[in-house]
Amino acid sequence: MTFAKRAAALLTASLMIVGTMTACGNNNQETPSSSGEGEGKVYKIVADNAFAPFEFLDESTGEYIGVDMDILAAIAEDQGFQYEIDNCGWDAAIGNLQSGQADGMIAGMSITDERKESYDFSEGYYTGGQIMIVKGDSDIASYEDLEGKTVAVKTGTQSAAFAESIAEEYGFTTVTYKDSPAVYAAVTGGTDAAGFEDYAVISYQIQNQGLDLKMIGDQQNITSYGFAVKKGSNPELIEMFNAGLANIQANGTYDEIMAKYGIEVEG
Ligand code: GLN
């Protein structure tokens, strides 16, 4: 390789790195600094951006709100750590966590054995599964009716994993989309006959956004949602998250947050 070629390759590589970082958008919100205690580290936390009621854009303020945002803020305040949040979306968030560009991730992320190979999780802070969705007037009433059809899922999610696990048995093909709104649009628009999404999220969408979708069947793979770090990194962040979660569960803040977003918590 000539010097010029090598320099060009290096430049391309560094541009790609910059590209990945800026792909995360510029909606950083810093937490109000608590009084300067702690080590002074500002943790970089990544999150989904279209996963109501866990994280979604409040159009009136331009800020991301939701259960995950409030829980993280309450825990950080309780534990006295600082963070900045980047609602870069599910796919980008996973990429940034894996590459070490983010310290932690909160995104309605299900704790699974497979993910435990790559991430360390906090204690669960919510429990829920995935469910099938079809257009409001669809005749599809069971997995059997999916024969020969296409089914929309969001990349790298438990919905995608579940749909893929039964695709052969029921004779359908999965189509992968980047985010939840794209999955809903594919189903309401008739591009795909059905989709899968987290139950709490799709219930919220149907109730609050009036999406022309209905749920079919039962929830699958009911699992806890957890806060994640890259395996082996930032163990203190997991400890603080767990300690703070226990405190906000004990002092009623957790219940207030869940009630604020209309989430039913069993038990
Ligand atoms: N709970 C699902 C999962 O972890 C979906 C998360 C999401 O789409 N933000 O796979």
Side-chain angles (χ1 to χ4, degrees), residues 48 51 55 90 105 107-112 115 128 130 154-159 180 197-198 225:
D48 204 339
F51 203 56
E55 45 262 320
W90 171 254
M105 171 163 172
M109 187 175 185
S110 309
I111 304 174
T112 67
R115 285 180 183 157
Q130 288 75 44
K154 172 168 155 189
T155 186
T157 59
Q158 286 298 95
S159 287
S180 291
E197 174 62 298
D198 283 27
Y225 287 2

Side-chain angles (χ1 to χ4, degrees), residues 75 79 122 227 234-245:
I75 289 175
Q79 295 292 304
S122 69
F227 173 83
N234 299 306
E236 77 287 358
L237 193 49
I238 292 291
E239 272 171 41
M240 290 190 288
F241 191 95
N242 286 339
L245 178 62

Side-chain angles (χ1 to χ4, degrees), residues 44-66:
K44 187 177 176 199
I45 314 292
V46 282
D48 204 339
N49 57 3
F51 203 56
F54 293 93
E55 45 262 320
F56 58 108
L57 187 64
D58 178 350
E59 310 251 334
S60 65
T61 62
E63 306 232 319
Y64 284 93
I65 57 169

